[in-house]
Amino acid sequence: SLGAQIGGYTGDHLNGGLGRISGLDPAAPLFEGYSDRVKLERSDAKFVDVMHTDAVPLNEGGLGTVDVIGDADFFPNGGKNMPGCSSDKLSVASLLTGGVTALTDDISCSHNRAPWYFIASINDNDFHSYPCSNPEGVCNFCGSGCSSMGYGASTDRFGVFVTTTNPNYPY
């Protein structure tokens, strides 16, 4: 989120000299529409991989960017509504029955899956991902080459990739 944007800002100041930056659902609010110098983008490191888990416009309750900004951009489950999270982010019923805590948990659940997916990718799940021209598409052919989402991302595979996850760890 904000950490991804800080990583991009740092990478820019180091003239793209970092080996890799992994953006975990980079924050959209206050970053979309601004200069690449102040947010994560592909020239900030030799390889930039981005996990989009809440690629929904802010006015619909989204917190992550919808923009393709890395060398490899991964959109698990189409980049929104992660399994195990409520798809009704702005539910009045949630506010009335669960209070503000329930509402904020619903809003941030998909966004907060990115670090959990990355943790799972270190030892428990390679998140086999397929190249796809549409982040919300259904693609299941390696064509130009599949990759793994997260820690094991192939640094020689570029473009948009899709995969599916499950509601519980290791997803």
Side-chain angles (χ1 to χ4, degrees), residues 74-76 128-132 134-139 160-164:
F74 296 87
F75 290 84
H128 187 77
S129 303
Y130 298 94
C132 200
N134 178 358
E136 295 182 52
V138 177
C139 299
V160 171
F161 295 86
V162 297
T163 191
T164 56

Side-chain angles (χ1 to χ4, degrees), residues 42-93:
R42 68 182 45 90
S43 70
D44 291 331
K46 293 180 175 91
F47 181 71
V48 175
D49 60 307
V50 180
M51 197 181 296
H52 299 268
T53 58
D54 198 24
V56 177
L58 181 61
N59 66 340
E60 295 175 28
L63 297 173
T65 185
V66 299
D67 298 336
V68 174
I69 56 174
D71 294 302
D73 285 76
F74 296 87
F75 290 84
N77 314 300
K80 55 188 173 184
N81 300 327
M82 297 300 109
C85 295
S86 171
S87 60
D88 191 12
K89 293 181 175 193
L90 299 176
S91 167
V92 173

Side-chain angles (χ1 to χ4, degrees), residues 2 8 32 98 119 158 161:
L2 181 58
E32 285 185 341
I119 290 167
F158 306 100
F161 295 86

Side-chain angles (χ1 to χ4, degrees), residues 24 51 109 111-122 127 169-171:
L24 304 182
M51 197 181 296
C109 182
H111 185 63
N112 291 338
R113 285 294 167 100
W116 286 107
Y117 290 165
F118 195 86
I119 290 167
S121 76
I122 295 171
F127 294 104
Y169 191 92
Y171 306 106

